[in-house]
Every structure is written in C-alpha cells, then in structure tokens.
Amino acid sequence: MVIWYSPASVIWQTFWLEPVPAASITRLELTPDLDQQAVQLLVQGTGITTHTIEAGVWHSGTLVVSATGSVSSPITLSIPAPHLWSPDDPFLYDVQVDLKLGPTMVDHVSSYFGMRKISLGQMGDYVRPLLNDQF
C-alpha cells in the first residue's frame, strides 16, 4: 500500500506578532548565585543609545529588591534569605525590567526565575549531583 501526501505550504503552529519600539529589550539572562544570595541580570537590547535599565524582583507581590543599570552590563540584585526552588517547593520570583530613556519607559519585560544551585559534591567515595547543596 502506498500513501501519497500532497505538499502544502501552510502555517501549522500558532504564532503571534507584536510591534516593538525602535529601542527594545531583546533578551534577559538571569543567573542565580545561592552562595552570594543574589541573582545576576544581563539585559540585551537593540536600538539602545543612552537608555537605562530599571529592574525589580518580586516575592508574592512584594518588592524584594530593585536596581538600575545599563544594557549589556551585568546588574547584581541581592536576595536576602532567598526562598529556594526545589521540586518539592517550585517557588519562582517575578522580575520586572523597564527600559528607560530619561524618565520615559520605552519597553517593559516580565519574567521569572528560581533561586537554586546545581553542583557536584563528594559523598563518601562517590561524586553525586547536589541541588541547593543537598543530595
């Protein structure tokens, strides 16, 4: 039995388009550092001139920390007594990032991250994976 499929050129998956301003945020990199109780934020953008970044980390609707900085320069945000992410407690912090030109906000991005650390540790004679320094 032979089955023939006719060729088609259609969109087969849902997508959306949205307009963005000439100066806009294109990427966020969030790197948790449990040992320093901080998260490092790196914001990438396009069309950036003298724009600044204002970032805030939120826990259950309460602002934990905020900072300002520049696009393409790491911003370190201290998270005192962080709520750790684990499979048993998959807590995520909310992040709000604004791109500003003077006092005017030109772009806004929301995201989230988990405070967690993945490492290797010696357990007796074996090297084991650790999550938040726990086997």
Side-chain angles (χ1 to χ4, degrees):
M1 177 159 102
V2 177
I3 299 174
W4 294 96
Y5 293 97
S6 59
S9 61
V10 296
I11 297 171
W12 58 272
Q13 194 170 19
T14 303
F15 75 96
W16 72 89
L17 297 173
E18 66 181 69
V20 295
S24 60
I25 297 169
T26 58
R27 181 179 176 153
L28 297 181
E29 291 179 26
L30 293 151
T31 307
D33 185 344
L34 226 54
D35 296 330
Q36 299 299 315
Q37 294 188 341
V39 64
Q40 187 175 74
L41 169 66
L42 182 63
V43 180
Q44 301 292 337
T46 185
I48 307 301
T49 56
T50 59
H51 296 78
T52 58
I53 295 295
E54 287 187 5
V57 173
W58 298 78
H59 178 297
S60 302
T62 302
L63 182 65
V64 174
V65 63
S66 64
T68 59
S70 301
V71 174
S72 300
S73 295
I75 301 169
T76 301
L77 298 149
S78 295
I79 311 288
H83 188 148
L84 303 184
W85 180 95
S86 73
D88 295 330
D89 184 14
F91 178 82
L92 297 172
Y93 285 92
D94 294 313
V95 180
Q96 304 287 325
V97 179
D98 295 334
L99 179 66
K100 293 187 146 189
L101 183 59
T104 306
M105 182 175 59
V106 296
D107 198 10
H108 173 82
V109 175
S110 299
S111 190
Y112 53 87
F113 69 94
M115 284 297 288
R116 51 87 182 118
K117 176 182 176 183
I118 299 170
S119 60
L120 296 174
Q122 192 74 32
M123 303 288 289
D125 293 336
Y126 302 100
V127 174
R128 306 274 184 173
L130 304 176
L131 174 62
N132 302 331
D133 294 326
Q134 301 292 317
F135 174 64

